[in-house]
Amino acid sequence: MAPVPGSGLAKGLAVTLRTMTKRSVTAQYPDTQPDLPPRTRGVIGLFEENCTVCMLCARECPDWCIYIDSHKETIPAATPGGRERSRNVLDRFAIDFSLCMYCGICIEVCPFDALFWSPEFEYAETDIHDLTHERDKLREWMWTVPAPPALDPGAEEPKEIAAARKAAEKLAAQQQAAAAEPTEPAAPTATEPHAQEQARAAEQPTRPAGESKQQTDQPRQEGRE
């Protein structure tokens, strides 16, 4: 069936008419902050304690906008005769957000969870050099990182939490078992009979030194004769 002439125009005018009759809704930004999705890519925060200076994020960055400097320190041996070890100490960690394209590769490849997405996006600057955030500024962004979403009801418990919970339950069970056991009197030790024998021997009269039992009994026999 051939379309009716002018039907497309009528449909377009109907959409325009419905839109014109609706009340417009305007977000009053910046007085009202927008409701951002939970996985919004705003700015990158650095958790410095987890960083091991492995340089993996800087090597994988396609824009080369991550700058890392470090030095090595020698750790003395923990035991006598042990071997000294060296570890990397972070000196500088900076991200140039004027070059960053927010791909998230650095966060994904970090093996120690030192980088996180923050939903904050209000960090525009009048000078492009101020868009290079050093590690102190990146640490401040960590306070704006939202908590991770809750797991699904049917999801498995994380291994770290499960291990900690089992250890706590085992310790509590041991403490309850120790408190429920009755206290029994202590059994006499092997040294107590020996001490009693020594006490009885001390109460008996002692003979003069150098005299045997035959010597002490000999005068008595002579007197009887």
Side-chain angles (χ1 to χ4, degrees):
M1 182 177 178
V4 179
S7 61
L9 178 61
K11 292 180 180 179
L13 292 176
V15 173
T16 304
L17 184 61
R18 286 195 303 267
T19 306
M20 290 176 61
T21 56
K22 290 182 179 180
R23 184 178 180 180
S24 61
V25 179
T26 303
Q28 301 298 327
Y29 176 83
D31 298 333
T32 303
Q33 293 293 327
D35 295 332
L36 301 175
R39 299 180 65 182
T40 299
R41 297 185 178 186
V43 72
I44 299 174
L46 170 67
F47 191 58
E48 188 177 341
E49 285 75 6
N50 287 357
C51 182
T52 60
V53 201
C54 64
M55 306 292 292
L56 191 59
C57 56
R59 291 197 300 266
E60 296 295 332
C61 178
D63 290 339
W64 293 88
C65 64
I66 300 177
Y67 311 106
I68 301 176
D69 294 332
S70 65
H71 69 278
K72 288 189 176 182
E73 288 184 356
T74 302
I75 302 176
T79 57
R83 186 179 63 180
E84 296 181 349
R85 296 185 178 183
S86 62
R87 68 182 181 95
N88 293 326
V89 179
L90 184 65
D91 293 331
R92 185 194 182 197
F93 195 108
I95 299 178
D96 188 356
F97 286 101
S98 64
L99 298 177
C100 179
M101 63 179 186
Y102 304 93
C103 62
I105 294 178
C106 58
I107 298 176
E108 294 177 1
V109 301
C110 181
F112 302 103
D113 293 336
L115 298 174
F116 297 88
W117 279 119
S118 170
E120 296 293 328
F121 59 92
E122 300 176 326
Y123 54 93
E125 301 289 348
T126 56
D127 189 356
I128 194 174
H129 296 91
D130 295 335
L131 286 175
T132 301
H133 295 184
E134 299 292 337
R135 65 176 183 174
D136 296 336
K137 185 66 175 178
L138 297 176
R139 179 60 182 267
E140 294 178 3
W141 291 122
M142 278 299 302
W143 297 105
T144 62
V145 174
L151 298 176
D152 295 335
E156 296 182 358
E157 189 177 18
K159 296 181 180 179
E160 297 82 1
I161 299 178
R165 179 178 53 80
K166 291 180 180 179
E169 292 177 354
K170 183 178 180 181
L171 180 61
Q174 292 177 354
Q175 293 177 353
Q176 292 179 358
E181 291 180 357
T183 56
E184 299 179 355
T189 59
T191 57
E192 290 183 359
H194 183 64
Q196 294 176 0
E197 293 178 1
Q198 290 182 350
R200 287 195 297 268
E203 294 177 356
Q204 296 178 359
T206 58
R207 300 184 181 91
E211 296 183 358
S212 62
K213 183 176 180 181
Q214 295 179 356
Q215 292 176 351
T216 53
D217 294 339
Q218 185 176 2
R220 295 180 182 178
Q221 296 175 359
E222 294 176 358
R224 291 175 183 177
E225 291 176 357

